[in-house]
Amino acid sequence: MYVAVYARRVRRTNIYLSEVEQAGLDAIAATRGSTRSDVIRAIVDRELHLEKDDDALDAVLADSARDVAERSRALSRRDPDLAIE
Amino acid sequence: MIIVDDHLALLALAGRLPDLPNTEGPVATTYAFQFRMVRALTDSTQSGTLSGRLADPAAALRRATQPPAHRLVVLDPRASLGQAVDVATRHPANLLLAELIGAAQHHQAAVRLTPANVGKSWPGVLAAEGIDFGTVDA
């Protein structure tokens, strides 16, 4: 069974899939002992780069954003393609 | 859609983007701004402000290289290459600015930048190209 990497509310969504797509999803589900829906959710999460929530990482990134942005300008200053001119 | 610079993109990655007045839609950035952001983040985790502050530096870099789409989308530069080249032929624009304007035109997006990331010539070029442009303090 697919285990969601983070707790979240889900909402029912209907999509049309071809017979080939459904057969492929079912084949993967069978090999994993899961369901077609589980396989679809795993694929969507991968495509959207969804990971477990990380509040500590969020806080550090937010606190350091100004410093990192200044570092970015310094590193790009002599780069003709990426400098703020 | 709103296209932001590397500073605002970092805040978007953290889920702490300030309010962007008069805009709507997903938050995005260009490949060039993402490159600048990842380069600075990498440098900062090794020897700068983030050194020793992150429990998992690899997770921070992964967040920047593969942003969760509900927080930040990185636009494919190939989609707007034609517009970017046209901008670069009409104005003295480097890759960073040409891609930014080309992407804004292609996606009909607004552009919001932090004041320190606005080049001297940029407001005039953005206006000449008809881009909805504004600055945001962060």
Side-chain angles (χ1 to χ4, degrees), chain B residues 1 3 19-20 29 31 33 49 76-77 89 93-94 96 109 120 135:
Chain B
M1 180 186 295
I3 303 177
D19 184 41
L20 304 176
T29 196
Y31 174 70
F33 271 123
T49 184
D76 186 341
T89 60
N94 66 359
L96 183 68
K120 289 180 182 173
T135 59

Side-chain angles (χ1 to χ4, degrees), chain B residues 22-89:
Chain B
N22 305 315
T23 60
E24 60 180 21
V27 178
T29 196
T30 61
Y31 174 70
F33 271 123
Q34 184 198 26
F35 181 91
R36 283 168 48 104
M37 175 176 67
V38 174
R39 178 166 65 177
L41 206 53
T42 301
D43 183 77
S44 298
T45 57
Q46 292 171 350
S47 60
T49 184
L50 287 172
S51 177
R53 290 190 62 196
L54 290 165
D56 184 3
L61 294 176
R62 193 167 57 247
R63 178 81 67 89
T65 55
Q66 298 182 324
H70 65 298
R71 289 189 174 177
L72 180 71
V73 175
V74 178
L75 300 170
D76 186 341
R78 294 171 298 185
S80 56
L81 181 60
Q83 287 101 327
V85 169
D86 287 344
V87 169
T89 60

